[in-house]
Amino acid sequence: MALHLIQSRRVLYPGSGDIRDYKDGTKVTFHFRTVKLAADGSGGDDEDQLQVIDDSRKCGKPMELIIGKKFKLILWEEWLKHMRVGEVSRLVADQRLCTDYPFVSKCYRKFSHQSNASNGSHDEEEDNIPSRRCCGMALKTGLGHQDLDELVTHPCPLQFTIELLSVESPEEYDKELWQMSESELLEAIPRYRTEGNRLYSGGQHREADQLYSKAVAIVEQLLLREKPGDEDYHRL
């Protein structure tokens, strides 16, 4: 990452404790606010005149990021690795570091809307679309948000304010299926089945059905990765 393109960075609140070990698979949860700046980087000091693009606190849904999963905005991932829990810091970045932000914002808006409306889940398929493909598509069809389309066609420096809420190592949270490696998926199938059987025997049929459904979903996902006739295909 071109550090000279970071125009300024300052800690607004230091947080507490030591900086965590941000190994791959670590889950970080944070609030963020994004402000559009003028070409020279000005326009982020007057609260009454701010051009706020996104504010996760107002949306009521913090952002979640898994370290090492090729998050589109590498600037954020690298920045978060140097933060303490509870820390609030602000960074101004040149537009050349922010070209992927409109696509991150679009995915976040969809995610927060789904979560607030129906407790929906993150659409990782859309989130993993390569950014260069997104740029080409966005220039032709738009992103569905006028302010984001403006950022794509007329990039500018952005001011990001991030508050780190929590850091969880891979062992401290239940991963969603899309976050699991193939070996983790294979290990989860008998675990879900065994736990499902225990719940079913105890009369907790709804909870058991949820675990059985998870096991079936894993099998279906793994089958899509294998070719019919392969040893692993028949083993599943």
Side-chain angles (χ1 to χ4, degrees):
M1 184 173 62
L3 295 179
H4 68 281
L5 297 179
I6 297 176
Q7 298 179 4
S8 68
R9 178 189 174 187
R10 60 191 174 110
V11 176
L12 305 181
Y13 182 78
S16 60
D18 296 326
I19 295 177
R20 295 284 299 272
D21 177 16
Y22 289 92
K23 60 185 177 181
D24 285 355
T26 297
K27 178 180 177 181
V28 294
T29 304
F30 58 97
H31 275 302
F32 72 97
R33 185 178 73 169
T34 304
V35 173
K36 185 177 180 179
L37 302 179
D40 61 358
S42 62
D45 297 324
D46 188 347
E47 286 289 330
D48 295 328
Q49 301 297 323
L50 293 180
Q51 298 185 61
V52 178
I53 300 172
D54 291 301
D55 189 333
S56 65
R57 279 201 173 278
K58 290 186 177 180
C59 290
K61 184 67 179 178
M63 172 76 91
E64 295 178 354
L65 183 156
I66 305 298
I67 299 296
K69 286 292 184 180
K70 297 182 179 180
F71 184 65
K72 281 191 182 75
L73 201 59
I74 188 173
L75 169 65
W76 278 11
E77 183 167 336
E78 292 303 316
W79 179 10
L80 284 160
K81 289 179 182 178
H82 296 85
M83 293 181 66
R84 294 175 170 81
V85 174
E87 179 179 325
V88 181
S89 60
R90 179 169 293 163
L91 180 148
V92 174
D94 184 274
Q95 59 263 33
R96 285 168 286 182
L97 287 178
C98 304
T99 54
D100 284 331
Y101 180 76
F103 313 106
V104 172
S105 176
K106 178 186 176 182
C107 292
Y108 169 75
R109 292 179 187 187
K110 180 177 180 180
F111 167 54
S112 62
H113 175 74
Q114 288 176 334
S115 298
N116 291 334
S118 59
N119 196 29
S121 60
H122 190 71
D123 188 347
E124 84 279 2
E125 181 178 354
E126 179 176 351
D127 191 44
N128 286 328
I129 295 174
S131 57
R132 281 176 292 181
R133 178 185 168 196
C134 278
C135 286
M137 292 174 63
L139 288 173
K140 292 180 180 179
T141 63
L143 293 173
H145 301 274
Q146 185 175 352
D147 57 343
L148 300 183
D149 291 338
E150 177 70 17
L151 276 182
V152 172
T153 55
H154 299 92
C156 65
L158 296 177
Q159 178 196 85
F160 302 113
T161 303
I162 285 184
E163 177 186 0
L164 182 56
L165 301 176
S166 66
V167 178
E168 300 170 90
S169 68
E171 301 79 20
E172 294 176 327
Y173 68 94
D174 292 329
K175 294 182 180 179
E176 297 182 32
L177 296 186
W178 66 271
Q179 297 170 344
M180 294 183 181
S181 65
E182 185 169 334
S183 61
E184 289 174 324
L185 290 171
L186 288 170
E187 291 173 0
I189 295 173
R191 186 171 69 250
Y192 286 151
R193 183 179 63 228
T194 300
E195 180 63 13
N197 290 342
R198 185 188 68 80
L199 292 171
Y200 189 87
S201 298
Q204 296 175 271
H205 297 166
R206 177 177 297 180
E207 292 80 359
D209 184 63
Q210 291 175 345
L211 289 179
Y212 292 147
S213 296
K214 282 186 177 181
V216 171
I218 291 175
V219 172
E220 291 175 344
Q221 184 168 327
L222 289 172
L223 284 173
L224 290 174
R225 300 182 183 182
E226 306 297 339
K227 296 180 180 179
D230 286 353
E231 180 180 347
D232 289 338
Y233 184 91
H234 289 298
R235 182 159 57 89
L236 289 170

